[in-house]
mmCIF file of all heavy atoms in Angstrom:
data_model
loop_
_atom_site.group_PDB
_atom_site.id
_atom_site.type_symbol
_atom_site.label_atom_id
_atom_site.label_comp_id
_atom_site.label_asym_id
_atom_site.label_seq_id
_atom_site.Cartn_x
_atom_site.Cartn_y
_atom_site.Cartn_z
ATOM 1 N N ASN A 25 26.442 -9.767 25.227
ATOM 2 C CA ASN A 25 27.763 -9.179 25.186
ATOM 3 C C ASN A 25 28.823 -10.273 25.317
ATOM 4 O O ASN A 25 28.740 -11.151 26.176
ATOM 5 C CB ASN A 25 27.872 -8.178 26.338
ATOM 6 C CG ASN A 25 29.178 -7.450 26.345
ATOM 7 O OD1 ASN A 25 30.184 -7.941 25.867
ATOM 8 N ND2 ASN A 25 29.155 -6.255 26.903
ATOM 9 N N LYS A 26 29.861 -10.254 24.469
ATOM 10 C CA LYS A 26 30.918 -11.273 24.492
ATOM 11 C C LYS A 26 31.677 -11.262 25.808
ATOM 12 O O LYS A 26 32.064 -12.307 26.325
ATOM 13 C CB LYS A 26 31.871 -11.079 23.328
ATOM 14 C CG LYS A 26 31.273 -11.434 21.996
ATOM 15 C CD LYS A 26 32.286 -11.262 20.891
ATOM 16 C CE LYS A 26 31.643 -11.571 19.552
ATOM 17 N NZ LYS A 26 32.597 -11.451 18.460
ATOM 18 N N CYS A 27 31.902 -10.081 26.369
ATOM 19 C CA CYS A 27 32.608 -9.994 27.658
ATOM 20 C C CYS A 27 31.791 -10.643 28.766
ATOM 21 O O CYS A 27 32.341 -11.323 29.640
ATOM 22 C CB CYS A 27 32.898 -8.539 28.013
ATOM 23 S SG CYS A 27 34.168 -7.805 26.975
ATOM 24 N N PHE A 28 30.477 -10.465 28.711
ATOM 25 C CA PHE A 28 29.607 -11.072 29.716
ATOM 26 C C PHE A 28 29.675 -12.589 29.626
ATOM 27 O O PHE A 28 29.789 -13.287 30.640
ATOM 28 C CB PHE A 28 28.164 -10.582 29.539
ATOM 29 C CG PHE A 28 27.186 -11.265 30.446
ATOM 30 C CD1 PHE A 28 27.128 -10.938 31.795
ATOM 31 C CD2 PHE A 28 26.341 -12.255 29.966
ATOM 32 C CE1 PHE A 28 26.241 -11.573 32.640
ATOM 33 C CE2 PHE A 28 25.460 -12.898 30.803
ATOM 34 C CZ PHE A 28 25.402 -12.550 32.146
ATOM 35 N N LEU A 29 29.610 -13.135 28.395
ATOM 36 C CA LEU A 29 29.686 -14.583 28.204
ATOM 37 C C LEU A 29 31.024 -15.133 28.685
ATOM 38 O O LEU A 29 31.081 -16.176 29.344
ATOM 39 C CB LEU A 29 29.467 -14.948 26.737
ATOM 40 C CG LEU A 29 28.044 -14.831 26.230
ATOM 41 C CD1 LEU A 29 28.001 -15.103 24.737
ATOM 42 C CD2 LEU A 29 27.136 -15.780 26.978
ATOM 43 N N PHE A 30 32.108 -14.436 28.359
ATOM 44 C CA PHE A 30 33.426 -14.875 28.807
ATOM 45 C C PHE A 30 33.505 -14.877 30.331
ATOM 46 O O PHE A 30 33.995 -15.826 30.946
ATOM 47 C CB PHE A 30 34.520 -13.985 28.216
ATOM 48 C CG PHE A 30 35.901 -14.371 28.665
ATOM 49 C CD1 PHE A 30 36.518 -15.500 28.162
ATOM 50 C CD2 PHE A 30 36.575 -13.622 29.618
ATOM 51 C CE1 PHE A 30 37.782 -15.873 28.582
ATOM 52 C CE2 PHE A 30 37.838 -13.984 30.047
ATOM 53 C CZ PHE A 30 38.449 -15.110 29.522
ATOM 54 N N GLY A 31 33.020 -13.824 30.953
ATOM 55 C CA GLY A 31 33.017 -13.735 32.410
ATOM 56 C C GLY A 31 32.195 -14.844 33.041
ATOM 57 O O GLY A 31 32.574 -15.428 34.057
ATOM 58 N N LEU A 32 31.076 -15.170 32.423
ATOM 59 C CA LEU A 32 30.219 -16.247 32.912
ATOM 60 C C LEU A 32 30.938 -17.592 32.820
ATOM 61 O O LEU A 32 30.891 -18.396 33.749
ATOM 62 C CB LEU A 32 28.910 -16.271 32.127
ATOM 63 C CG LEU A 32 27.832 -17.229 32.603
ATOM 64 C CD1 LEU A 32 27.436 -16.914 34.038
ATOM 65 C CD2 LEU A 32 26.627 -17.145 31.693
ATOM 66 N N LEU A 33 31.629 -17.828 31.721
ATOM 67 C CA LEU A 33 32.376 -19.079 31.565
ATOM 68 C C LEU A 33 33.496 -19.193 32.599
ATOM 69 O O LEU A 33 33.735 -20.258 33.162
ATOM 70 C CB LEU A 33 32.959 -19.177 30.153
ATOM 71 C CG LEU A 33 31.960 -19.458 29.041
ATOM 72 C CD1 LEU A 33 32.649 -19.356 27.682
ATOM 73 C CD2 LEU A 33 31.329 -20.817 29.218
ATOM 74 N N VAL A 34 34.192 -18.098 32.855
ATOM 75 C CA VAL A 34 35.255 -18.102 33.866
ATOM 76 C C VAL A 34 34.667 -18.395 35.242
ATOM 77 O O VAL A 34 35.209 -19.194 36.005
ATOM 78 C CB VAL A 34 36.030 -16.763 33.864
ATOM 79 C CG1 VAL A 34 36.947 -16.654 35.066
ATOM 80 C CG2 VAL A 34 36.815 -16.612 32.574
ATOM 81 N N LEU A 35 33.544 -17.799 35.558
ATOM 82 C CA LEU A 35 32.892 -18.024 36.842
ATOM 83 C C LEU A 35 32.470 -19.481 36.998
ATOM 84 O O LEU A 35 32.692 -20.096 38.041
ATOM 85 C CB LEU A 35 31.673 -17.106 36.992
ATOM 86 C CG LEU A 35 30.883 -17.232 38.291
ATOM 87 C CD1 LEU A 35 31.783 -16.882 39.477
ATOM 88 C CD2 LEU A 35 29.664 -16.340 38.266
ATOM 89 N N VAL A 36 31.906 -20.065 35.954
ATOM 90 C CA VAL A 36 31.505 -21.473 35.993
ATOM 91 C C VAL A 36 32.723 -22.355 36.216
ATOM 92 O O VAL A 36 32.694 -23.297 37.008
ATOM 93 C CB VAL A 36 30.753 -21.863 34.695
ATOM 94 C CG1 VAL A 36 30.594 -23.373 34.582
ATOM 95 C CG2 VAL A 36 29.399 -21.185 34.652
ATOM 96 N N ALA A 37 33.824 -22.068 35.532
ATOM 97 C CA ALA A 37 35.045 -22.862 35.692
ATOM 98 C C ALA A 37 35.585 -22.769 37.117
ATOM 99 O O ALA A 37 36.052 -23.761 37.679
ATOM 100 C CB ALA A 37 36.101 -22.404 34.692
ATOM 101 N N LEU A 38 35.512 -21.595 37.720
ATOM 102 C CA LEU A 38 36.009 -21.436 39.087
ATOM 103 C C LEU A 38 35.130 -22.150 40.099
ATOM 104 O O LEU A 38 35.617 -22.700 41.076
ATOM 105 C CB LEU A 38 36.107 -19.947 39.443
ATOM 106 C CG LEU A 38 37.199 -19.168 38.742
ATOM 107 C CD1 LEU A 38 37.078 -17.686 39.075
ATOM 108 C CD2 LEU A 38 38.565 -19.685 39.131
ATOM 109 N N VAL A 39 33.833 -22.148 39.885
ATOM 110 C CA VAL A 39 32.905 -22.769 40.826
ATOM 111 C C VAL A 39 32.929 -24.284 40.707
ATOM 112 O O VAL A 39 32.934 -24.995 41.696
ATOM 113 C CB VAL A 39 31.480 -22.220 40.619
ATOM 114 C CG1 VAL A 39 30.470 -22.985 41.451
ATOM 115 C CG2 VAL A 39 31.430 -20.744 40.961
ATOM 116 N N THR A 40 32.951 -24.797 39.468
ATOM 117 C CA THR A 40 32.886 -26.245 39.288
ATOM 118 C C THR A 40 34.240 -26.910 39.430
ATOM 119 O O THR A 40 34.322 -28.055 39.810
ATOM 120 C CB THR A 40 32.297 -26.601 37.911
ATOM 121 O OG1 THR A 40 33.118 -26.024 36.899
ATOM 122 C CG2 THR A 40 30.872 -26.131 37.787
ATOM 123 N N GLY A 41 35.305 -26.227 39.136
ATOM 124 C CA GLY A 41 36.633 -26.820 39.238
ATOM 125 C C GLY A 41 36.903 -27.779 38.106
ATOM 126 O O GLY A 41 36.057 -28.031 37.264
ATOM 127 N N CYS A 42 38.089 -28.322 38.095
ATOM 128 C CA CYS A 42 38.497 -29.263 37.056
ATOM 129 C C CYS A 42 38.736 -30.622 37.699
ATOM 130 O O CYS A 42 39.367 -30.708 38.752
ATOM 131 C CB CYS A 42 39.778 -28.791 36.386
ATOM 132 S SG CYS A 42 39.601 -27.235 35.529
ATOM 133 N N PRO A 43 38.254 -31.683 37.053
ATOM 134 C CA PRO A 43 38.514 -33.017 37.596
ATOM 135 C C PRO A 43 40.008 -33.316 37.609
ATOM 136 O O PRO A 43 40.743 -32.873 36.723
ATOM 137 C CB PRO A 43 37.801 -33.954 36.621
ATOM 138 C CG PRO A 43 36.900 -33.096 35.830
ATOM 139 C CD PRO A 43 37.453 -31.721 35.857
ATOM 140 N N LYS A 44 40.454 -34.038 38.635
ATOM 141 C CA LYS A 44 41.863 -34.418 38.697
ATOM 142 C C LYS A 44 41.996 -35.759 39.394
ATOM 143 O O LYS A 44 41.214 -36.098 40.278
ATOM 144 C CB LYS A 44 42.694 -33.351 39.391
ATOM 145 C CG LYS A 44 42.223 -32.994 40.780
ATOM 146 C CD LYS A 44 42.999 -31.816 41.329
ATOM 147 C CE LYS A 44 42.280 -31.309 42.564
ATOM 148 N NZ LYS A 44 42.810 -30.059 43.035
ATOM 149 N N ASN A 45 43.003 -36.495 38.961
ATOM 150 C CA ASN A 45 43.298 -37.797 39.557
ATOM 151 C C ASN A 45 44.216 -37.605 40.752
ATOM 152 O O ASN A 45 45.077 -36.734 40.748
ATOM 153 C CB ASN A 45 43.977 -38.710 38.546
ATOM 154 C CG ASN A 45 43.084 -39.061 37.384
ATOM 155 O OD1 ASN A 45 41.877 -38.861 37.417
ATOM 156 N ND2 ASN A 45 43.665 -39.594 36.333
ATOM 157 N N HIS A 46 44.024 -38.439 41.756
ATOM 158 C CA HIS A 46 44.879 -38.441 42.947
ATOM 159 C C HIS A 46 45.504 -39.823 43.084
ATOM 160 O O HIS A 46 44.826 -40.835 42.878
ATOM 161 C CB HIS A 46 44.059 -38.127 44.207
ATOM 162 C CG HIS A 46 43.556 -36.727 44.238
ATOM 163 N ND1 HIS A 46 44.243 -35.710 44.862
ATOM 164 C CD2 HIS A 46 42.445 -36.163 43.729
ATOM 165 C CE1 HIS A 46 43.568 -34.582 44.733
ATOM 166 N NE2 HIS A 46 42.467 -34.833 44.042
ATOM 167 N N TYR A 47 46.779 -39.848 43.432
ATOM 168 C CA TYR A 47 47.510 -41.102 43.604
ATOM 169 C C TYR A 47 48.262 -41.062 44.924
ATOM 170 O O TYR A 47 48.929 -40.074 45.230
ATOM 171 C CB TYR A 47 48.523 -41.297 42.474
ATOM 172 C CG TYR A 47 47.917 -41.263 41.095
ATOM 173 C CD1 TYR A 47 47.924 -40.094 40.348
ATOM 174 C CD2 TYR A 47 47.339 -42.392 40.537
ATOM 175 C CE1 TYR A 47 47.377 -40.049 39.082
ATOM 176 C CE2 TYR A 47 46.784 -42.361 39.270
ATOM 177 C CZ TYR A 47 46.802 -41.184 38.549
ATOM 178 O OH TYR A 47 46.259 -41.152 37.295
ATOM 179 N N ILE A 48 48.176 -42.145 45.668
ATOM 180 C CA ILE A 48 48.930 -42.303 46.914
ATOM 181 C C ILE A 48 49.695 -43.617 46.785
ATOM 182 O O ILE A 48 49.090 -44.664 46.538
ATOM 183 C CB ILE A 48 47.990 -42.355 48.138
ATOM 184 C CG1 ILE A 48 47.136 -41.091 48.208
ATOM 185 C CG2 ILE A 48 48.801 -42.570 49.417
ATOM 186 C CD1 ILE A 48 45.947 -41.205 49.141
ATOM 187 N N VAL A 49 51.013 -43.566 46.931
ATOM 188 C CA VAL A 49 51.845 -44.761 46.826
ATOM 189 C C VAL A 49 52.425 -45.055 48.199
ATOM 190 O O VAL A 49 53.041 -44.195 48.817
ATOM 191 C CB VAL A 49 52.985 -44.573 45.799
ATOM 192 C CG1 VAL A 49 53.874 -45.809 45.751
ATOM 193 C CG2 VAL A 49 52.421 -44.255 44.425
ATOM 194 N N GLU A 50 52.203 -46.288 48.663
ATOM 195 C CA GLU A 50 52.776 -46.741 49.934
ATOM 196 C C GLU A 50 53.722 -47.893 49.637
ATOM 197 O O GLU A 50 53.337 -48.857 48.968
ATOM 198 C CB GLU A 50 51.668 -47.213 50.882
ATOM 199 C CG GLU A 50 50.706 -46.114 51.287
ATOM 200 C CD GLU A 50 49.563 -46.623 52.164
ATOM 201 O OE1 GLU A 50 49.509 -47.839 52.471
ATOM 202 O OE2 GLU A 50 48.717 -45.798 52.525
ATOM 203 N N LEU A 51 54.957 -47.808 50.133
ATOM 204 C CA LEU A 51 55.957 -48.854 49.941
ATOM 205 C C LEU A 51 56.303 -49.462 51.289
ATOM 206 O O LEU A 51 56.621 -48.742 52.233
ATOM 207 C CB LEU A 51 57.214 -48.283 49.287
ATOM 208 C CG LEU A 51 57.018 -47.609 47.929
ATOM 209 C CD1 LEU A 51 58.329 -46.971 47.476
ATOM 210 C CD2 LEU A 51 56.527 -48.614 46.902
ATOM 211 N N THR A 52 56.239 -50.792 51.358
ATOM 212 C CA THR A 52 56.562 -51.511 52.587
ATOM 213 C C THR A 52 57.623 -52.557 52.276
ATOM 214 O O THR A 52 57.367 -53.490 51.513
ATOM 215 C CB THR A 52 55.309 -52.211 53.172
ATOM 216 O OG1 THR A 52 54.265 -51.241 53.326
ATOM 217 C CG2 THR A 52 55.628 -52.857 54.503
ATOM 218 N N PRO A 53 58.841 -52.408 52.824
ATOM 219 C CA PRO A 53 59.885 -53.393 52.560
ATOM 220 C C PRO A 53 59.517 -54.770 53.111
ATOM 221 O O PRO A 53 58.977 -54.891 54.210
ATOM 222 C CB PRO A 53 61.110 -52.837 53.284
ATOM 223 C CG PRO A 53 60.790 -51.422 53.588
ATOM 224 C CD PRO A 53 59.311 -51.325 53.679
ATOM 225 N N ARG A 54 59.784 -55.787 52.337
ATOM 226 C CA ARG A 54 59.667 -57.189 52.744
ATOM 227 C C ARG A 54 61.073 -57.778 52.644
ATOM 228 O O ARG A 54 62.020 -57.067 52.351
ATOM 229 C CB ARG A 54 58.675 -57.934 51.842
ATOM 230 C CG ARG A 54 57.279 -57.328 51.819
ATOM 231 C CD ARG A 54 56.545 -57.607 53.103
ATOM 232 N NE ARG A 54 55.178 -57.045 53.022
ATOM 233 C CZ ARG A 54 54.575 -56.460 54.007
ATOM 234 N NH1 ARG A 54 55.190 -56.336 55.168
ATOM 235 N NH2 ARG A 54 53.375 -55.980 53.881
ATOM 236 N N GLU A 55 61.246 -59.072 52.849
ATOM 237 C CA GLU A 55 62.591 -59.659 52.830
ATOM 238 C C GLU A 55 63.362 -59.323 51.561
ATOM 239 O O GLU A 55 64.363 -58.634 51.607
ATOM 240 C CB GLU A 55 62.503 -61.172 53.009
ATOM 241 C CG GLU A 55 62.257 -61.557 54.449
ATOM 242 C CD GLU A 55 62.354 -63.040 54.652
ATOM 243 O OE1 GLU A 55 63.129 -63.703 53.940
ATOM 244 O OE2 GLU A 55 61.643 -63.537 55.526
ATOM 245 N N ASN A 56 62.936 -59.828 50.424
ATOM 246 C CA ASN A 56 63.662 -59.607 49.171
ATOM 247 C C ASN A 56 62.839 -58.823 48.158
ATOM 248 O O ASN A 56 63.112 -58.871 46.965
ATOM 249 C CB ASN A 56 64.068 -60.948 48.551
ATOM 250 C CG ASN A 56 65.050 -61.687 49.437
ATOM 251 O OD1 ASN A 56 65.910 -61.072 50.049
ATOM 252 N ND2 ASN A 56 64.907 -62.993 49.516
ATOM 253 N N ALA A 57 61.824 -58.149 48.627
ATOM 254 C CA ALA A 57 60.942 -57.413 47.732
ATOM 255 C C ALA A 57 60.358 -56.215 48.483
ATOM 256 O O ALA A 57 60.667 -55.989 49.647
ATOM 257 C CB ALA A 57 59.825 -58.328 47.235
ATOM 258 N N VAL A 58 59.525 -55.481 47.803
ATOM 259 C CA VAL A 58 58.809 -54.380 48.426
ATOM 260 C C VAL A 58 57.340 -54.507 48.038
ATOM 261 O O VAL A 58 57.018 -54.838 46.899
ATOM 262 C CB VAL A 58 59.396 -53.005 48.011
ATOM 263 C CG1 VAL A 58 59.200 -52.728 46.541
ATOM 264 C CG2 VAL A 58 58.823 -51.894 48.840
ATOM 265 N N GLU A 59 56.482 -54.324 49.025
ATOM 266 C CA GLU A 59 55.052 -54.308 48.728
ATOM 267 C C GLU A 59 54.700 -52.892 48.296
ATOM 268 O O GLU A 59 55.027 -51.927 48.978
ATOM 269 C CB GLU A 59 54.221 -54.696 49.950
ATOM 270 C CG GLU A 59 52.729 -54.651 49.659
ATOM 271 C CD GLU A 59 51.893 -54.902 50.892
ATOM 272 O OE1 GLU A 59 51.719 -53.939 51.671
ATOM 273 O OE2 GLU A 59 51.453 -56.044 51.073
ATOM 274 N N ARG A 60 54.063 -52.788 47.167
ATOM 275 C CA ARG A 60 53.672 -51.482 46.620
ATOM 276 C C ARG A 60 52.157 -51.417 46.599
ATOM 277 O O ARG A 60 51.493 -52.247 45.992
ATOM 278 C CB ARG A 60 54.212 -51.318 45.209
ATOM 279 C CG ARG A 60 54.003 -49.942 44.628
ATOM 280 C CD ARG A 60 54.785 -49.869 43.308
ATOM 281 N NE ARG A 60 54.970 -48.518 42.862
ATOM 282 C CZ ARG A 60 54.103 -47.846 42.136
ATOM 283 N NH1 ARG A 60 52.972 -48.400 41.789
ATOM 284 N NH2 ARG A 60 54.363 -46.616 41.758
ATOM 285 N N LYS A 61 51.625 -50.431 47.290
ATOM 286 C CA LYS A 61 50.184 -50.230 47.346
ATOM 287 C C LYS A 61 49.879 -48.876 46.716
ATOM 288 O O LYS A 61 50.384 -47.848 47.170
ATOM 289 C CB LYS A 61 49.704 -50.265 48.801
ATOM 290 C CG LYS A 61 48.231 -50.131 48.989
ATOM 291 C CD LYS A 61 47.910 -50.258 50.487
ATOM 292 C CE LYS A 61 46.446 -50.266 50.764
ATOM 293 N NZ LYS A 61 46.184 -50.393 52.207
ATOM 294 N N LEU A 62 49.083 -48.895 45.669
ATOM 295 C CA LEU A 62 48.704 -47.675 44.972
ATOM 296 C C LEU A 62 47.219 -47.427 45.216
ATOM 297 O O LEU A 62 46.379 -48.260 44.885
ATOM 298 C CB LEU A 62 48.962 -47.811 43.467
ATOM 299 C CG LEU A 62 48.452 -46.671 42.593
ATOM 300 C CD1 LEU A 62 49.200 -45.374 42.909
ATOM 301 C CD2 LEU A 62 48.593 -47.027 41.125
ATOM 302 N N ILE A 63 46.910 -46.315 45.847
ATOM 303 C CA ILE A 63 45.530 -45.900 46.089
ATOM 304 C C ILE A 63 45.264 -44.751 45.123
ATOM 305 O O ILE A 63 46.031 -43.789 45.082
ATOM 306 C CB ILE A 63 45.334 -45.438 47.543
ATOM 307 C CG1 ILE A 63 45.746 -46.554 48.512
ATOM 308 C CG2 ILE A 63 43.898 -44.981 47.777
ATOM 309 C CD1 ILE A 63 45.957 -46.105 49.934
ATOM 310 N N PHE A 64 44.200 -44.878 44.340
ATOM 311 C CA PHE A 64 43.944 -43.825 43.362
ATOM 312 C C PHE A 64 42.446 -43.593 43.181
ATOM 313 O O PHE A 64 41.641 -44.493 43.355
ATOM 314 C CB PHE A 64 44.624 -44.133 42.025
ATOM 315 C CG PHE A 64 44.258 -45.446 41.391
ATOM 316 C CD1 PHE A 64 43.375 -45.491 40.325
ATOM 317 C CD2 PHE A 64 44.797 -46.638 41.848
ATOM 318 C CE1 PHE A 64 43.051 -46.694 39.720
ATOM 319 C CE2 PHE A 64 44.482 -47.843 41.265
ATOM 320 C CZ PHE A 64 43.601 -47.876 40.193
ATOM 321 N N TYR A 65 42.120 -42.332 42.880
ATOM 322 C CA TYR A 65 40.729 -41.931 42.678
ATOM 323 C C TYR A 65 40.686 -40.648 41.878
ATOM 324 O O TYR A 65 41.714 -40.010 41.652
ATOM 325 C CB TYR A 65 40.005 -41.770 44.015
ATOM 326 C CG TYR A 65 40.617 -40.758 44.950
ATOM 327 C CD1 TYR A 65 40.171 -39.437 44.972
ATOM 328 C CD2 TYR A 65 41.642 -41.107 45.822
ATOM 329 C CE1 TYR A 65 40.739 -38.499 45.832
ATOM 330 C CE2 TYR A 65 42.207 -40.184 46.678
ATOM 331 C CZ TYR A 65 41.752 -38.880 46.677
ATOM 332 O OH TYR A 65 42.314 -37.953 47.524
ATOM 333 N N ARG A 66 39.509 -40.283 41.447
ATOM 334 C CA ARG A 66 39.314 -39.041 40.683
ATOM 335 C C ARG A 66 38.351 -38.151 41.441
ATOM 336 O O ARG A 66 37.310 -38.599 41.894
ATOM 337 C CB ARG A 66 38.772 -39.343 39.290
ATOM 338 C CG ARG A 66 38.679 -38.131 38.380
ATOM 339 C CD ARG A 66 38.394 -38.588 36.950
ATOM 340 N NE ARG A 66 38.324 -37.510 36.009
ATOM 341 C CZ ARG A 66 39.365 -36.983 35.367
ATOM 342 N NH1 ARG A 66 40.565 -37.469 35.589
ATOM 343 N NH2 ARG A 66 39.210 -36.003 34.509
ATOM 344 N N GLU A 67 38.747 -36.906 41.592
ATOM 345 C CA GLU A 67 37.940 -35.917 42.304
ATOM 346 C C GLU A 67 37.477 -34.887 41.286
ATOM 347 O O GLU A 67 38.218 -34.508 40.387
ATOM 348 C CB GLU A 67 38.811 -35.257 43.369
ATOM 349 C CG GLU A 67 38.065 -34.399 44.333
ATOM 350 C CD GLU A 67 38.991 -33.849 45.407
ATOM 351 O OE1 GLU A 67 40.013 -34.483 45.727
ATOM 352 O OE2 GLU A 67 38.690 -32.762 45.917
ATOM 353 N N ASN A 68 36.226 -34.431 41.421
ATOM 354 C CA ASN A 68 35.710 -33.519 40.404
ATOM 355 C C ASN A 68 36.190 -32.088 40.569
ATOM 356 O O ASN A 68 35.957 -31.257 39.707
ATOM 357 C CB ASN A 68 34.188 -33.578 40.307
ATOM 358 C CG ASN A 68 33.480 -32.873 41.434
ATOM 359 O OD1 ASN A 68 34.087 -32.260 42.302
ATOM 360 N ND2 ASN A 68 32.173 -32.961 41.437
#
């Protein structure tokens, strides 16, 4: 049944989730500049 297949696909998408990138930016002032630290990763 097409409805059953669609429902199964929706259930799989909800359980597995979608991969997404995460970014954390830290700024630390220095004398005439700023230190920029970028922490990044991908979560499934």
